Amino acid sequence: MAADPSSTSPSVPAADGADYADTASAAYRAALQVIESVEPRVAAATRKELADQRDSLKLIASENYASPAVLLTMGTWLSDKYAEGTIGHRFYAGCQNVDTVESVAAEHARELFGAPYAYVQPHSGIDANLVAFWAILATRVEAPELANLGAKHVNDLSEADWETLRNKLGNQRLLGMSLDAGGHLTHGFRPNISGKMFHQRSYGTNPETGFLDYDAVAAAAREFKPLVLVAGYSAYPRRVNFAKMREIADEVGATLMVDMAHFAGLVAGKVFTGDEDPVPHAHVTTTTTHKSLRGPRGGMVLATEEYAPAVDKGCPMVLGGPLSHVMAAKAVALAEARQPAFGKYAQQVADNAQALADGFIKRDAGLVTGGTDNHIVLLDVTSFGLTGRQAESALLDAGIVTNRNSIPADPNGAWYTSGIRLGTPALTSRGFGADEFDRVAELIVEVLSNTQPEGSAGSVSKAKYKLTDGTADRVHAAASELLSANPLYPGLTL
Ligand code: DSN
C-alpha cells in the first residue's frame, strides 16, 4: 500500500500544500532565470537534473531528496561570510548572524539526538570523521602527554618534546568494520587518511550468517587493544547493538566512535532506540546530514562533555571555514526531523526495506544476511551470474539507479564486486510504500534475469553485458508509471 504522501513527502507539507508549491516554483523559476543570464549551461544542467531525478528509480542508499525549504536555505548570502572559529569566538568580525544559525542548528541536533554537545560545521562525513579522530587523539593522547611533559600547549614544547608527542600521536591503533563486510573507507582504510594515520585492523561478519559477531569483535579488541573502536557502516543491512560495542570498548580502554551517517534518519525518527541508538553509548558520534536524515549535504559530530572541547576545535584544526549557508540548511532540516511526520517517514523507510527484501526473497534472489532490518538491502548478484558492475550498468539502462558494492569475501574484488546496494530513503520520500517496493524488486529481478555477461567460457567479461532486446525500455516504462504516481516535488513547476 502506498504511504500517505502528506506524512512522508518532504516536498509539500499537508497543511498548505498548493501555496507552498507555488511559492517554491516561483522561487526556483526566478533563480534559474538569474543563473541563465550568466551561464545558461548551468541553468540547463540544473533543470535537466530535476527531470532526470523525477524520472529515475533512485535506490542509492546514501541519497535522498531534501525539502525545498532546505534547498532554498542554501542559496543565500550566508555563503559569503567567513566564520572560522566557534560560536561567539570567531577569527573574523561580523559573525553575529552566523552565530545565530550555527546555534540554532546545534540546538536542534542536541535536542533531536539527546546529545550533550553538537558540532555542525563539518562539510561532509569524511570531515566529520576527521574532526572526531583528531578530537580522540587530542583528548586521549595529546592532553595527557602535554601534562607529562609539564606543558599546557604544544607551543610550550621543545623540539625534542614535540618529537616525542608526534611519535605518540602518530602511533595509535584503530579497529573498524572491514570494507567487504560493509565498513566505510574512513574507518581506517588506505584510500582515506585514516588508513595512514592509524594502525588499522578490521572486524568482519560471521561467514555463515553475514551478521556482526560481537564475540569476534571482542576477541579482536582484546588482542589488538585499539585506542579507537569504530562502529557503523555504509553497506551492512542489519542493526548494530551499540551497548555491546561500548562494553567491548570499555573492556579494552578504547574510545567508541560511531559513524551513523547512513542511519541517522532512523535514529532521529526513533526507529533505532535503546541499544540500537548509538548516541547514549558512543563517546563520539559522527554523521552526514544528507542521507536518511534528508538534510543538506554536510556532516556533524555529537560528543560527550569529555570530548566536546576537542571537537569544538575542528575548525581550523582540520576544517576550512564553515559553510554558513549549509549550517542554516542543517538547522532547517533538523527542525523538520523534529516533527512527528519525520518519525512516520523513518518507520516507512525501514518497512519499505523489509518489503523490498521480501520481494527479492520470494523471487529467489540472494541477499547478504538473508534480509534487512535497516534501510539497506544488499543483493548478491552472483545468483544471476553477473558482477556488481554488470548489474549496476544494466539496471541504469532501465532507469534504475543503484551502486555496485562488495559483499563479504567478494570473489570479484572491490572494483567489479558481486553486490548491488539498494536503499529505501529516497523513494520513501516520494511516497513509495510496501506495494511499490515489491514492484521495484520485481523490476530489478526482471532486468537481471535478462542480462548476460559477454564472452564465452574461459573469457567471460566482468564488465560487458548484454540485455535481452526490449527489456530496458519495457522496465523503464514500468518504472515511469510508478514514478508518475509518486511525483518528486509535486506541484513544483520550473
Ligand atoms: N558515499 C557514501 C555512501 O554511498 O555510502 C558514504 O561515503
Side-chain angles (χ1 to χ4, degrees):
M1 195 180 62
D4 168 8
S6 65
S7 67
T8 58
S9 169
S11 326
V12 181
D16 58 348
D19 286 352
Y20 187 84
D22 286 350
T23 311
S25 299
Y28 283 114
R29 275 199 293 268
L32 285 163
Q33 218 175 338
V34 173
I35 297 166
E36 199 155 41
S37 70
V38 180
E39 181 39 286
R41 289 172 298 180
V42 170
T46 307
R47 284 202 172 89
K48 173 89 168 36
E49 182 61 25
L50 178 60
D52 289 353
Q53 292 205 21
R54 279 181 157 162
D55 191 36
S56 55
L57 280 176
K58 190 202 270 211
L59 288 157
I60 299 207
S62 48
E63 293 186 7
N64 210 329
Y65 304 106
S67 73
V70 169
L71 298 178
L72 286 166
T73 306
M74 280 187 280
T76 79
W77 32 89
L78 279 167
S79 167
D80 296 334
K81 190 74 196 95
Y82 246 124
E84 286 177 22
T86 50
I87 300 163
H89 301 278
R90 306 284 182 183
F91 290 85
Y92 293 82
C95 294
Q96 58 281 4
N97 300 310
V98 180
D99 281 351
T100 301
V101 298
E102 184 169 349
S103 304
V104 174
E107 176 194 304
H108 280 311
R110 285 193 307 271
E111 294 292 324
L112 179 62
F113 292 108
Y117 172 77
Y119 185 64
V120 298
Q121 291 194 19
H123 309 159
S124 69
I126 285 187
D127 289 1
N129 285 352
L130 207 46
V131 169
F133 290 141
W134 175 253
I136 295 167
L137 288 174
T139 307
R140 297 284 311 275
V141 183
E142 186 183 68
E145 190 56 23
L146 286 178
N148 270 350
L149 294 167
K152 285 210 166 92
H153 191 270
V154 282
N155 292 350
D156 304 332
L157 299 180
S158 68
E159 197 40 48
D161 287 343
W162 175 232
E163 187 64 20
T164 306
L165 174 59
R166 203 161 28 218
N167 285 336
K168 294 211 165 169
L169 282 169
N171 196 25
Q172 303 300 326
R173 291 182 296 274
L174 178 148
L175 179 64
M177 193 175 204
S178 70
L179 273 183
D180 71 350
H184 190 254
L185 280 179
T186 54
H187 301 175
F189 296 95
R190 290 277 182 249
N192 178 256
I193 191 169
S194 58
K196 300 186 195 293
M197 64 193 270
F198 287 105
H199 300 285
Q200 195 267 6
R201 195 176 286 182
S202 303
Y203 57 83
T205 45
N206 182 303
E208 305 291 314
T209 63
F211 279 67
L212 199 49
D213 177 343
Y214 297 95
D215 292 338
V217 178
R222 279 181 207 122
E223 192 190 315
F224 188 53
K225 301 215 172 358
L227 177 81
V228 193
L229 174 62
V230 181
Y233 52 80
S234 59
Y236 176 66
R238 296 290 173 177
R239 302 183 185 195
V240 173
N241 182 324
F242 296 107
K244 278 193 187 164
M245 295 303 274
R246 176 61 185 259
E247 270 173 38
I248 296 168
D250 284 347
E251 186 191 325
V252 299
T255 297
L256 178 63
M257 170 180 153
V258 177
D259 178 346
M260 65 167 182
H262 256 266
F263 50 90
L266 301 187
V267 178
K270 311 286 180 251
V271 177
F272 291 0
T273 57
D275 292 352
E276 294 165 354
D277 175 354
V279 181
H281 304 292
H283 297 93
V284 184
T285 305
T286 61
T287 187
T288 52
T289 45
H290 50 274
K291 297 188 173 86
S292 54
L293 195 52
R294 210 164 67 183
R297 302 196 75 81
M300 204 158 71
V301 182
L302 308 174
T304 55
E305 301 289 357
E306 183 189 2
Y307 289 86
V311 170
D312 217 26
K313 293 195 169 59
C315 169
M317 183 59 76
V318 294
L319 296 176
L323 309 176
S324 307
H325 56 308
V326 180
M327 291 195 297
K330 287 173 186 169
V332 172
L334 291 163
E336 289 179 345
R338 291 184 68 191
Q339 300 300 316
F342 193 86
K344 287 193 199 162
Y345 162 73
Q347 186 58 54
Q348 191 70 51
V349 166
D351 293 348
N352 283 345
Q354 196 68 59
L356 182 64
D358 291 346
F360 286 125
I361 291 164
K362 76 181 184 207
R363 294 175 178 93
D364 295 326
L367 298 182
V368 172
T369 77
T372 178
D373 50 29
N374 58 21
H375 63 296
I376 293 173
V377 173
L378 195 53
L379 184 62
D380 176 350
V381 293
T382 56
S383 52
F384 295 94
L386 299 170
T387 63
R389 176 143 179 210
Q390 289 162 328
E392 175 192 83
S393 303
L395 289 168
L396 191 60
D397 291 345
I400 303 177
V401 188
T402 65
N403 69 282
R404 66 186 186 277
N405 211 100
S406 299
I407 60 173
D410 200 309
N412 287 313
W415 178 249
Y416 293 108
T417 82
S418 303
I420 286 290
R421 186 185 67 165
L422 306 162
T424 53
L427 291 179
T428 304
S429 289
R430 284 182 79 137
F432 276 47
D435 288 351
E436 285 79 3
F437 271 99
D438 180 63
R439 179 80 172 122
V440 168
E442 187 180 14
L443 294 179
I444 289 175
V445 170
E446 184 172 348
V447 172
L448 299 183
S449 311
N450 282 285
T451 305
Q452 288 83 39
E454 281 199 6
S456 47
S459 67
V460 180
S461 174
K462 289 189 175 192
K464 294 189 182 147
Y465 63 96
K466 197 167 168 1
L467 261 167
T468 310
D469 286 349
T471 304
D473 288 346
R474 187 175 66 251
V475 170
H476 204 151
S480 295
E481 259 179 52
L482 278 178
L483 292 162
S484 1
N486 297 276
L488 173 61
Y489 305 126
L492 185 75
T493 54
L494 298 186

